[in-house]
Amino acid sequence: MKPFVAAFALFAASALPLSAADDPAPSPGLMQQVILSEELIALGKERNDPVLMLAALRLRASLDDSTVAAADAFTDKDALVEAAKAAAAGQDALLIMIEDAATEKSRMFCYPSWGRSICY
């Protein structure tokens, strides 16, 4: 798991200079959220645990291609939803929660400030 995290961190760090100069870099907290969601996905798939995959799905609700430069390294959301549903087969309450998380939109709020957008 540690080599994956280290490789992803290096990839994310190398991708940042490639972004446009006027795009603000993702915050360290946002990058930690990316890494944590990938770790939860890997562990959830390894253990076939729908709760871990659900947690990763909820973390992903506030991440998208415009907020994180390394978004192409994300695990596909549709594949994650299908894996979580397969792991939660027969558990109706979990299946409903997975459906809700799959349709959840970003909770990020952005506002203009001195000619640029600040998001949290």
Side-chain angles (χ1 to χ4, degrees), residues 37-99:
S37 69
E38 285 297 325
E39 288 175 342
L40 287 170
I41 291 167
L43 192 58
K45 286 182 176 179
E46 181 180 316
R47 294 183 179 178
N48 199 33
D49 187 339
V51 175
L52 292 174
M53 290 184 267
L54 175 63
L57 195 56
R58 294 291 310 264
L59 278 173
R60 288 289 173 85
S62 60
L63 302 174
D64 62 13
D65 293 343
S66 64
T67 57
V68 179
D72 58 339
F74 280 170
T75 301
D76 182 53
K77 181 180 178 178
D78 294 332
L80 173 58
V81 170
E82 290 307 314
K85 284 181 180 179
Q91 302 177 42
D92 293 337
L94 268 177
L95 289 170
I96 291 170
M97 291 172 65
I98 292 167
E99 271 303 315

